[in-house]
Amino acid sequence: SNFPDGMASSSTNFPPQPAILSRAPTRNSNPFPGLSSGDAGPPEDNCVNHDALASLTLGRSHGAESSMAALDADSILCVASFLRLADVLNLCAASREWDRLFRHAVTRLNVSKVSLGGAPLHVALQALCARLPALQHFDLSRSGARDADVALLGWSCRSLHTLRLEQCEVSDASLAVLPHALPALHSLHIPGCRDVSDAGVRALLAPAAGRPDGGGLKLRTLVLAWCDVSDRALTLIASRLSLTIKHLDVSGCARVTDDGVRVLVAQCRVLSSLLLEGCREVSGWAVSGAARTLQTLSLGGCTLATDAGIGALTTSCGGLLSLCLRQCRQISDSSLATLAANCRLLEVSAPPLA
């Protein structure tokens, strides 16, 4: 397999996640299992916006809902902390007050954390988008999502900022929809999507009709690892995202070479993270023209990397904080001395003792 450890396919039947309450929730604590407050949590978590919750007050109602009217938002969050997200969604469907409280508060959703109850993915997406209109971060990784599912999600949940489609069954057709359906998108993760090619990247970055600036997406993060892209995609990224792209991952893209990387780093002057692991046609020389904004660089498995190439890149990339050179067999101790002299902020980690 060409996938690294941890990227093996998994089943689309996701077990529900149990809830554990450790203490009473506050604005700075996590009141939900599988949910994280703000943007501090990991990207795969589901998120509740506590500022939105705090701004809501519960009104009086009749019957079973009247007891909830006496509770403030923190109390209801405490009750909900014993529940799975799927149960919270069911309560929203059953109660106007619960629905009013949560529909604009959940901003981050990972489908793998929610039991779909055997429903087809497109049916579940329709329900989730209708129930949670404030979603900004959506993770469909390893869900078996296809082009039609991505189109449905895009046109139904147009406020998305981040979309993760790791190892989904999507193609260039999905990328063609995104600039029109999700104009606010700034982070796209599609590693392991083998049917995504240079043509898809071109469609993704094309000017979108109806945008006030007449341009295309202003992506800041783009993960294309193990996609079927080449130097042409890097040239497109360099020309369309030169002022915005900060994090780019093209690891495992065998058709990426020094030529494409050289154009990319010359034009993308705010780039802070560049992952080229497994790109066997890339050397250190290609990165030597990068701006000092570059802080994270991975050349692991780049067999063309040499001491001379590493020396060249350190002269322009003195701000590096993290550098991966694993399986670069032409690198010797002299490169380590060069790095120590020119990249004084670089983090050094040693393998554990046997």
Side-chain angles (χ1 to χ4, degrees):
S1 172
N2 291 323
F3 289 89
D5 293 338
M7 286 193 64
S9 293
S10 61
S11 169
T12 56
N13 295 321
F14 301 107
Q17 302 296 311
I20 299 176
L21 180 66
S22 57
R23 61 189 176 93
T26 66
R27 287 175 62 90
N28 295 319
S29 65
N30 180 5
F32 282 95
L35 306 180
S36 61
S37 59
D39 289 328
E44 69 271 15
D45 284 345
N46 301 317
C47 179
V48 170
N49 184 329
H50 288 263
D51 289 334
L53 291 176
S55 68
L56 296 173
T57 56
L58 296 177
R60 294 288 175 181
S61 55
H62 299 286
E65 293 184 358
S66 62
S67 61
M68 290 195 301
L71 301 177
D72 59 19
D74 271 351
S75 298
I76 291 180
L77 285 174
C78 183
V79 173
S81 66
F82 290 95
L83 305 174
R84 302 166 301 174
L85 179 61
D87 294 329
V88 173
L89 295 176
N90 288 335
L91 287 171
C92 290
S95 162
R96 292 190 185 94
E97 293 296 341
W98 278 89
D99 182 60
R100 186 169 70 89
L101 183 63
F102 287 103
R103 67 185 284 108
H104 293 290
V106 180
T107 60
R108 191 187 300 267
L109 181 63
N110 184 344
V111 168
S112 69
K113 304 289 184 180
V114 181
S115 174
L116 302 184
L121 182 60
H122 71 278
V123 174
L125 289 177
Q126 284 180 320
L128 289 168
C129 292
R131 183 63 61 188
L132 304 172
L135 283 173
Q136 296 180 2
H137 307 264
F138 210 110
D139 191 341
L140 277 170
S141 297
R142 300 183 178 91
S143 66
R146 299 175 180 271
D147 291 331
D149 300 315
V150 174
L152 171 63
L153 174 63
W155 291 112
S156 302
C157 200
R158 305 200 65 190
S159 61
L160 287 185
H161 293 170
T162 300
L163 179 60
R164 304 178 73 93
L165 298 168
E166 181 177 340
Q167 286 186 257
C168 289
E169 300 177 28
V170 299
S171 68
D172 294 339
S174 288
L175 272 62
V177 169
L178 296 181
H180 307 282
L182 298 176
L185 191 70
H186 61 63
S187 181
L188 177 63
H189 302 249
I190 50 174
C193 297
R194 297 287 191 174
D195 292 330
V196 170
S197 69
D198 294 336
V201 175
R202 183 183 300 109
L204 175 70
L205 302 181
R211 287 184 63 96
D213 56 5
L217 293 176
K218 305 301 182 184
L219 293 174
R220 298 198 290 267
T221 298
L222 181 58
V223 178
L224 295 168
W226 293 277
C227 293
D228 187 26
V229 299
S230 70
D231 289 342
R232 292 182 180 179
L234 297 192
T235 302
L236 287 165
I237 293 169
S239 63
R240 304 283 174 83
L241 301 177
S242 61
L243 300 178
T244 61
I245 190 70
K246 293 184 177 182
H247 309 282
L248 178 65
D249 185 355
V250 289
S251 298
C253 298
R255 296 194 293 139
V256 167
T257 72
D258 274 352
D259 292 338
V261 175
R262 190 175 293 110
V263 172
L264 177 81
V265 299
Q267 297 187 41
C268 299
R269 308 308 289 177
V270 296
L271 193 65
S272 65
S273 175
L274 178 60
L275 305 184
L276 299 164
E277 190 161 352
C279 297
R280 297 180 180 275
E281 300 299 320
V282 172
S283 71
W285 290 101
V287 193
S288 61
R292 294 187 66 85
T293 57
L294 189 65
Q295 296 181 339
T296 300
L297 174 63
S298 176
L299 295 173
C302 296
T303 54
L304 296 182
T306 62
D307 290 335
I310 297 302
L313 75 86
T314 58
T315 59
S316 62
C317 303
L320 279 177
L321 300 178
S322 176
L323 174 63
C324 175
L325 295 172
R326 63 181 179 183
Q327 296 183 352
C328 294
R329 295 181 173 85
Q330 298 189 62
I331 300 298
S332 70
D333 291 346
S334 64
S335 285
L336 302 182
T338 302
L339 289 168
N342 297 327
C343 301
R344 297 184 179 277
L345 300 177
L346 194 63
E347 297 177 0
V348 178
S349 60
L353 296 177

